[in-house]
Amino acid sequence: MIKRLVKLLSKMSIPPSSTSAMETTTTNIVQPNSTISQEFNTVQEGKATILTPKQDEVFYNPIQQFNRDLSIMAIKAYDEIRHEKIQAIKKKSKNKRTKLNGLKILESLAASGLRSCRYGLEIPEAGKIVANDMLAEAVKSINKNVEYNKLTDKVVANQGDAIKFMGSTDEKFHIVDLDPYGTAAPFIDSAIQCLEDDGMLLVTCTDAGVLAGSGYPEKCFALYGGNNFGNAYVNGESNHEVGIRLILNLIASTAAKYKKTIEPMLSLSIDYYFRVLVKVKTSPINVKNHASETMLTYGCNGCGHKIVQPLGMKNNTKFQYPKLQGPISSNCQYCGTSYNVAGPMYAGNLHNREFIDKVLKINESSDKEIYVTNERIKGMLTLASNELDDAPFFFNLNQLCSIFKSPPISIEQYTKAVGNLGYKVSLTHAKKNCVKTNLPWNLNLLINRAWQIDQNEKYVKEMESKNVDELNEKIKEKLIKLKDNIGINPSLAESSPGWKILNYFKTNMNEEEKSVSIDFETGNEEFEKIAKLRKVKMVRYQENPRKNWGPMASPK
């Protein structure tokens, strides 16, 4: 009766103020007709119904439903891969007795136990789930919710410090889920120790201000052993990918101490936090690749030019000390601005496409009333799956155009130009109007220079079509300068990066660069690929679902 009432009232919930499709985050709260109604509200999410204190400020965060919905589907996809491997072993060895036990899952920082209850109700292969929290009040809440959802045979509450529990338990878990308030850095070592071989580690870090911001370089290095590109405007978007790579490098470096390697299955920058799903496997041979899968990156503070410096080199099976990548100087050859050094960070692929395809397939067949973030999962993972592997760091097209003070270039025109030069381009799951490309930086700047010239020519043509008396002195002066040099922007200060880049190509362009023909009009395979992806009806990015949303207050 209570569940029926919850479902009825949930349909009557007030929808978000925005009429566009986006992640549903409305909290479905009802008063159950029982003695516990004096102390608790009930909140329904997925198949679980949890009891929350009347003055609930910490225990339930509806914004994180996307995280929980995605995690459930990802664990199901992991289990499918696990079954496929066992079937392959059976077929190869002809041993039909090989048995696959149910999944053992550890939620290390469980709070109310909502996530653990959902895992128990929605993941059929979950055999045992341990919901741990160090607070007695939280454990009491977990036990209430486990009992309320009739999961006492599957979900076990444990009171203990997560680090000590994971580091000392004799149990091994297929899945270890770390979803702390703030950084997950202190929990990584012990989490790896209690993870089954070839198990999957799910990690959330909500300290995006540290990982991707510019105000805490000392804290970022202390927690993650590296830094991002800092506060340069042109590198601001790239810092979100650096944040992901810093987390992955921390996990990889920690795993390497135990002769284990990592394989990122899915790595996302979401709203105000990062979420990475990583398989960890014992492999002493592959641990030798750790240095060659780690990099520093020099990022120009003026134009965004980046130089990747691997920290190890591998030729076939031989490992070598890395050579300095270059040319490296204290100032950028294109705009004369200084470089910041980011990293050390993970240099490998961020996603496993086979895994993403499985998650998308599970998502497609899921019940949208239970998984209300279904559309956003589809959108974000589709974009993640299409990201280029060999092009670290995305950048914002508008930010690049702002260097030259030119009108923004559209994604359509940019992808045509890149594709017609024979290079690849992709969108990114993390930010709007941002792209990845394997195009060399000098050609990228030449595209923007050509765009500047194209816009200048259109401006001159437009002004010349008008009556001379209609033009003020400022416009007349600008026209004189443009006719003298169509490749400049009179609005740029001579000390600006944009002016220096345009001047660089005026005086230092080599023969190869002179022969480059930029075509913004002709369609090509890259353009068609991006255009097709952008036409797919899906929710790609989160919109603000309510006032003052975010990580909420820290636990007291």
Side-chain angles (χ1 to χ4, degrees):
M1 183 68 185
I2 291 172
K3 287 188 176 180
R4 198 175 295 171
L5 182 60
V6 169
K7 192 170 183 181
L8 178 63
L9 290 180
S10 69
K11 291 180 179 178
M12 297 170 61
S13 299
I14 300 172
S17 56
S18 172
T19 56
S20 62
M22 67 178 192
E23 177 182 346
T24 303
T25 55
T26 318
T27 308
N28 301 320
I29 300 178
V30 298
Q31 296 294 341
N33 294 322
S34 68
T35 55
I36 62 171
S37 64
Q38 296 176 3
E39 295 180 61
F40 300 97
N41 293 320
T42 62
V43 177
Q44 185 168 6
E45 183 184 290
K47 290 183 179 181
T49 304
I50 64 163
L51 308 174
T52 65
K54 290 282 188 179
Q55 302 300 320
D56 179 18
E57 295 180 355
V58 175
F59 275 78
Y60 180 68
N61 184 358
I63 306 304
Q64 285 277 30
Q65 183 165 356
F66 175 81
N67 186 326
R68 291 184 281 266
D69 284 355
L70 177 60
S71 299
I72 289 162
M73 295 180 192
I75 294 171
K76 288 180 179 179
Y78 165 83
D79 191 62
E80 278 187 22
I81 294 172
R82 199 170 68 108
H83 275 80
E84 287 169 4
K85 284 187 176 180
I86 290 294
Q87 291 302 320
I89 292 170
K90 280 184 178 182
K91 190 175 181 180
K92 191 174 181 180
S93 65
K94 297 181 181 179
N95 181 3
K96 307 299 181 183
R97 295 182 182 179
T98 305
K99 187 180 178 182
L100 193 63
N101 296 322
L103 286 171
K104 291 178 71 176
I105 303 172
L106 170 63
E107 185 187 3
S108 302
L109 306 128
S112 66
L114 167 60
R115 189 182 295 251
S116 289
C117 287
R118 288 196 64 187
Y119 287 171
L121 291 167
E122 298 171 39
I123 301 173
E125 292 296 324
K128 180 182 178 181
I129 300 159
V130 176
N132 178 79
D133 204 286
M134 70 183 299
L135 300 177
E137 193 65 29
V139 174
K140 192 188 298 182
S141 175
I142 293 167
N143 281 323
K144 279 193 178 75
N145 289 318
V146 168
E147 187 178 349
Y148 195 79
N149 286 277
K150 298 178 181 177
L151 288 166
T152 51
D153 61 330
K154 191 177 281 191
V155 182
V156 180
N158 181 78
Q159 184 178 352
D161 180 287
I163 297 171
K164 291 179 181 178
F165 173 71
M166 291 188 294
S168 61
T169 181
D170 292 330
E171 285 194 273
K172 297 291 184 183
F173 298 90
H174 298 99
I175 303 290
V176 175
D177 196 330
L178 299 174
D179 190 11
Y181 183 91
T183 180
F187 305 99
I188 300 298
D189 195 297
S190 54
I192 288 172
Q193 293 182 54
C194 73
L195 194 64
E196 279 272 10
D197 199 37
D198 214 20
M200 191 163 70
L201 186 61
L202 283 60
V203 179
T204 301
C205 290
T206 62
D207 55 339
V210 173
L211 281 161
S214 59
Y216 309 96
E218 72 294 340
K219 191 171 184 180
C220 187
F221 194 90
L223 290 172
Y224 299 99
N227 283 121
N228 59 46
F229 291 114
N231 61 359
Y233 169 72
V234 75
N235 287 323
E237 304 290 29
S238 300
N239 280 341
H240 288 267
E241 184 171 323
V242 178
I244 290 173
R245 293 185 180 275
L246 287 173
I247 297 169
L248 291 174
N249 191 61
L250 171 64
I251 299 170
S253 297
T254 305
K257 295 187 295 184
Y258 301 104
K259 300 180 181 179
K260 296 176 184 290
T261 59
I262 72 164
E263 181 187 1
M265 307 303 282
L266 182 62
S267 310
L268 300 175
S269 173
I270 311 165
D271 305 331
Y272 56 85
Y273 63 94
F274 299 98
R275 182 71 163 168
V276 298
L277 285 62
V278 181
K279 281 177 70 175
V280 181
K281 185 176 183 178
T282 301
S283 180
I285 293 176
N286 288 322
V287 167
K288 293 179 180 180
N289 296 327
H290 179 45
S292 57
E293 292 175 347
T294 307
M295 65 182 177
L296 294 171
T297 304
Y298 304 91
C300 173
N301 293 308
C303 69
H305 175 227
K306 293 175 179 63
I307 301 172
V308 171
Q309 173 64 60
L311 294 186
M313 289 184 67
K314 181 184 178 183
N315 292 324
N316 298 320
T317 58
K318 189 177 179 182
F319 296 90
Q320 299 175 338
Y321 288 96
K323 301 291 190 295
L324 182 66
Q325 301 296 301
I328 295 281
S329 66
S330 58
N331 296 94
C332 175
Q333 61 177 314
Y334 303 112
C335 70
T337 312
S338 63
Y339 285 97
N340 276 6
V341 183
M345 67 183 95
Y346 185 72
N349 296 343
L350 300 180
H351 316 293
N352 179 306
R353 285 193 177 85
E354 179 191 354
F355 179 79
I356 293 178
D357 288 344
K358 286 186 180 298
V359 177
L360 285 171
K361 191 174 180 181
I362 292 167
N363 183 61
E364 188 179 357
S365 61
S366 64
D367 186 337
K368 292 188 178 183
E369 287 191 11
I370 295 173
Y371 301 97
V372 297
T373 65
N374 173 287
E375 287 300 314
R376 193 184 177 200
I377 289 172
K378 175 187 172 184
M380 182 168 276
L381 267 62
T382 300
L383 289 179
S385 180
N386 283 276
E387 289 179 356
L388 291 181
D389 290 330
D390 59 347
F393 312 117
F394 55 85
F395 57 89
N396 189 301
L397 289 175
N398 289 348
Q399 288 181 349
L400 201 58
C401 287
S402 70
I403 296 172
F404 301 94
K405 290 191 176 180
S406 60
I409 184 171
S410 69
I411 288 177
E412 289 86 352
Q413 288 160 316
Y414 180 80
T415 52
K416 284 178 182 177
V418 173
N420 288 326
L421 289 174
Y423 291 91
K424 295 184 180 298
V425 63
S426 76
L427 304 176
T428 171
H429 75 275
K431 292 284 180 177
K432 295 178 182 178
N433 205 46
C434 290
V435 296
K436 285 188 168 193
T437 179
N438 60 358
L439 186 74
W441 195 249
N442 64 326
L443 297 184
N444 206 30
L445 293 177
L446 281 174
I447 286 177
N448 280 272
R449 177 179 178 269
W451 178 249
Q452 177 76 64
I453 292 171
D454 180 80
Q455 297 302 296
N456 284 346
E457 288 173 344
K458 287 178 180 177
Y459 178 81
V460 170
K461 189 175 181 180
E462 182 187 351
M463 292 301 107
E464 286 182 336
S465 67
K466 296 182 179 181
N467 191 312
V468 179
D469 297 332
E470 295 178 17
L471 307 179
N472 60 39
E473 290 304 315
K474 196 172 182 179
I475 293 175
K476 290 178 182 177
E477 186 180 338
K478 184 176 180 179
L479 286 173
I480 292 170
K481 289 180 179 179
L482 288 177
K483 287 178 181 179
D484 181 56
N485 185 356
I486 198 67
I488 66 164
N489 185 339
S491 301
L492 289 170
E494 292 188 13
S495 59
S496 68
W499 177 276
K500 289 179 180 178
I501 291 168
L502 294 173
N503 190 58
Y504 170 86
F505 284 116
K506 181 181 177 183
T507 57
N508 295 294
M509 196 180 295
N510 59 41
E511 292 304 315
E512 185 181 350
E513 290 168 340
K514 287 178 183 177
S515 66
V516 171
S517 176
I518 310 295
D519 180 359
F520 295 110
E521 304 302 326
T522 306
N524 52 65
E525 188 177 333
E526 289 302 299
F527 164 73
E528 295 295 338
K529 179 188 73 177
I530 299 298
K532 184 178 178 181
L533 188 61
R534 296 182 77 214
K535 285 177 183 175
V536 177
K537 188 177 180 182
M538 56 187 174
V539 182
R540 294 175 173 86
Y541 308 99
Q542 171 71 303
E543 299 177 41
N544 290 6
R546 67 178 190 185
K547 276 188 174 183
N548 305 317
W549 72 288
M552 301 178 69
S554 60
K556 294 183 176 63

